[in-house]
Amino acid sequence: TSHRTQEIMRVLTIFIAVLMPAELLSSIAGSNTIPASWMNNTNIFLTTVILQIVILGGMLYLFRRQKWI
């Protein structure tokens, strides 16, 4: 039915919207265009992961507050 299709599309859209910022951060941190001195920093992986988790939590909070999920 069209209602079921609409529900599936809503869930997939939210899923993509939540994962897109994490994908962007990962691709920037993993690119070869960043100077080597920045990549030698041992805390950059941890910082990237923490930033991704914060963005994920913020988006989930926003979506729940708007009652989209």
Side-chain angles (χ1 to χ4, degrees), residues 28-50:
I28 291 171
S31 69
N32 292 329
T33 59
I34 299 172
S37 62
W38 189 73
M39 290 303 288
N40 289 334
N41 186 354
T42 57
N43 294 325
I44 198 64
F45 176 75
L46 183 61
T47 303
T48 304
V49 170
I50 290 172

Side-chain angles (χ1 to χ4, degrees), residues 19-34:
L19 291 181
M20 198 177 305
E23 178 71 27
L24 177 65
L25 286 174
S26 296
S27 63
I28 291 171
S31 69
N32 292 329
T33 59
I34 299 172

Side-chain angles (χ1 to χ4, degrees), residues 3-20:
H3 180 67
R4 178 75 176 139
T5 303
Q6 182 181 5
E7 285 296 312
I8 291 171
M9 291 304 295
R10 183 178 64 88
V11 169
L12 290 175
T13 301
I14 291 171
F15 183 73
I16 293 301
V18 166
L19 291 181
M20 198 177 305

